[in-house]
Amino acid sequence: MDFAYSPRTKELLARVQDFMDAHIVPRIQQYNDELHAGHYPVSFMHDLRALARSEGLWNMFLPHLKEDEPGTRLSNLEYAPVAELTGRVSWAPEVFNCNAPDTGNMELLHMFATEEQREQWLNPLLNGEFHSAFAMTEPDVASSDATNITTLIQREGDEYVINGRKWFISNAARPDCRLFIVMGKTDPGNDNVHQQQSMILVPADTDGVDIVRNPTVLNHTSPEGHCEIVFRNVRVPASNLLGEEGSGFALAQARLGPGRIHHCMRSIGAAQLALELMVERSQERKTFGKYLHQHGSIGEWIAKSRIEIETARLLVLKAAWMMDNVGAREARKEIAMIKALVPSVHTTVANRAIQVFGAMGLTPDTPLADIYTLGRTLHLADGPDEVHLQSIARMEIKSSRENLGASAAYLTPPSRN
């Protein structure tokens, strides 16, 4: 395995860094001010996205674009450091049309959409004409187990009728969110619980789609939203089915593989920024006659943070390499490991940085409170930590059983003398 950045990756990283330095970082204050004043989308986003596309910094996340589709066609390994760089500013990925959940939805449509669905939904998303949402999680069941979902998708003639309640649906509060990819049950009585679910494309303006509220997250309001939505007798054409009936669970797994790598690399970028801020702050402030970094506990936080970030980054690059070379199925343990590890690194480093900044770290004067909030959310997003840890443990047990007894030679029996 070779994780060295290729010349192409280095060149692209330099271009993305220059773009962020010139056009994104100088607008952070304006972005925050406009949000605080209730202006969303912010005034400059459309022009900034057009500029990024004109410079070839567009759809960098999707490796298998067709020749006539706009994008950079990076492998997962090539895109990983780019995602890390954009993750330093929470809204930067949107500038490059690389923001979740649009990325995962484009992946899904790219793999499974019909030609009609591609024309109506995928192509406009690739062109950045509107946004989309992925509606799987439900408030009334433990959605960490997707077989629990209760939303019904029932066939009636040439239509499907959808009834159910979803929540934590990211992007749903955007005024230009035009598509929901909804996961529900078309065959709830199927003995195979992994073949009960299907996915269907629902235009956001369809009758019966009711956005109930946009709940705050750790008392922080997300402008793009994590909405609660009710689908009441929502009717869409049967041609809106994505894939086949009963394929919903498999489609969800295909969607989440690359998305988890993207989340983790952006998360590492946020943690890296938190560490840099912590190190700078520790050299500016003194307590009891010493700079903060000269106190043993804070020096240890800095060292541990660097070790943890480097460890997490290497594991994510390994997962990305495996996705490219052996596929998502063979990389499933590595994907589970990064999803369990990275949010912990993210929140731990952010928490240390907040502590070093003191009261200022809790305010909007630094990005640390937002960084921490995002990291805490990622302990749950795309499956809670505990589910991934269980998956890893099951795979370790299975591997052990396949090689049962191989380690016995290393055991030293007690002496009988």
Side-chain angles (χ1 to χ4, degrees):
M1 296 182 185
D2 184 1
F3 303 148
Y5 297 163
S6 68
R8 181 190 186 201
T9 299
K10 291 178 181 177
E11 186 266 341
L12 190 61
L13 278 171
R15 289 170 55 204
V16 173
Q17 183 69 71
D18 288 346
F19 190 98
M20 291 189 64
D21 290 343
H23 303 294
I24 293 178
V25 174
R27 286 182 168 88
I28 290 175
Q29 186 63 54
Q30 182 184 354
Y31 183 92
N32 293 337
D33 289 346
E34 290 193 20
L35 283 191
H36 185 71
H39 300 150
Y40 186 78
V42 294
S43 61
F44 57 80
M45 183 59 73
H46 180 270
D47 291 342
L48 212 53
R49 281 164 63 84
L51 180 61
R53 183 171 180 177
S54 72
E55 294 192 8
L57 303 176
W58 192 255
N59 290 341
M60 296 177 283
F61 68 95
L62 198 54
H64 306 299
L65 287 167
K66 296 181 179 180
E67 286 302 318
D68 60 343
E69 294 174 333
T72 316
R73 297 173 183 83
L74 299 180
S75 68
N76 287 290
L77 185 60
E78 289 173 323
Y79 176 60
V82 177
E84 177 182 341
L85 182 56
T86 63
R88 295 169 66 91
V89 179
S90 63
W91 50 269
E94 181 183 354
V95 174
F96 307 106
N97 211 37
C98 291
N99 57 292
D102 288 325
T103 49
N105 291 344
M106 285 185 268
E107 291 262 11
L108 202 53
L109 291 165
H110 205 265
M111 287 186 287
F112 302 107
T114 64
E115 284 304 315
E116 180 184 354
Q117 292 167 350
R118 294 175 73 94
E119 183 67 27
Q120 184 176 4
W121 301 113
L122 176 59
N123 293 342
L125 282 169
L126 289 171
N127 287 321
E129 296 175 21
F130 54 76
H131 290 284
S132 63
F134 183 68
M136 181 176 74
T137 305
E138 299 182 1
D140 297 326
V141 296
S143 297
S144 55
D145 177 0
T147 64
N148 283 338
I149 62 173
T150 59
T151 295
L152 291 178
I153 304 173
Q154 297 170 304
R155 181 74 180 256
E156 291 187 8
D158 294 333
E159 294 181 317
Y160 281 100
V161 183
I162 305 156
N163 283 282
R165 183 182 295 269
K166 302 288 186 178
W167 82 334
F168 244 71
I169 308 307
S170 302
N171 261 10
R174 290 182 183 270
D176 59 350
C177 178
R178 298 185 190 172
L179 172 67
F180 294 116
I181 301 181
V182 180
M183 185 166 171
K185 290 189 175 180
T186 46
D187 187 11
N190 195 316
D191 291 339
N192 185 337
V193 295
H194 295 106
Q195 293 181 0
Q196 297 177 352
Q197 305 85 5
S198 301
M199 289 190 188
I200 197 156
L201 308 177
V202 179
D205 60 359
T206 307
D207 289 343
V209 177
D210 179 17
I211 298 179
V212 177
R213 60 176 179 143
N214 178 18
T216 58
V217 178
L218 294 181
N219 291 332
H220 173 80
T221 300
S222 168
E224 66 274 10
H226 300 296
C227 294
E228 181 176 356
I229 306 172
V230 174
F231 296 86
R232 292 189 181 92
N233 295 319
V234 174
R235 291 180 175 271
V236 297
S239 59
N240 282 26
L241 187 72
L242 187 61
E244 301 174 349
E245 280 199 13
S247 67
F249 193 89
L251 266 61
Q253 295 304 110
R255 181 187 184 278
L256 289 171
R260 285 167 177 157
I261 291 176
H262 303 166
H263 266 318
C264 287
M265 288 309 297
R266 288 190 294 263
S267 185
I268 289 170
Q272 174 66 31
L273 177 59
L275 173 57
E276 291 171 13
L277 291 170
M278 173 168 51
V279 171
E280 290 182 9
R281 179 75 166 185
S282 73
Q283 296 174 81
E284 296 170 353
R285 290 295 176 100
K286 284 185 175 180
T287 60
F288 307 106
K290 293 181 180 180
Y291 285 104
L292 293 180
H293 70 87
Q294 294 173 321
H295 292 280
S297 59
I298 294 178
E300 186 175 312
W301 291 351
I302 292 169
K304 284 186 173 180
S305 296
R306 169 53 62 211
I307 292 168
E308 291 158 1
I309 289 171
E310 294 297 321
T311 301
R313 180 186 291 115
L314 285 172
L315 188 55
V316 174
L317 290 174
K318 179 186 177 184
W321 183 93
M322 291 186 70
M323 281 280 293
D324 291 333
N325 288 275
V326 297
R329 180 172 178 79
E330 292 300 318
R332 63 191 186 280
K333 182 163 70 173
E334 282 70 20
I335 293 170
M337 287 194 289
I338 62 174
K339 193 56 187 65
L341 171 66
V342 172
S344 179
V345 172
H346 183 146
T347 50
T348 298
V349 174
N351 189 53
R352 291 169 182 152
I354 289 170
Q355 199 72 7
V356 170
F357 269 82
M360 184 182 179
L362 300 173
T363 73
D365 292 356
T366 81
L368 293 173
D370 286 342
I371 288 173
Y372 180 85
T373 300
L374 173 62
R376 188 61 189 84
T377 301
L378 291 176
H379 281 276
L380 295 167
D382 287 354
D385 296 350
E386 292 77 11
V387 169
H388 297 294
L389 291 170
Q390 274 193 335
S391 296
I392 296 163
R394 283 197 300 268
M395 285 182 267
E396 286 295 307
I397 295 297
K398 181 181 178 182
S399 176
S400 173
R401 287 174 177 167
E402 290 170 353
N403 300 284
L404 202 58
S407 303
Y410 294 89
L411 299 175
T412 304
S415 172
R416 298 188 180 277
N417 293 335

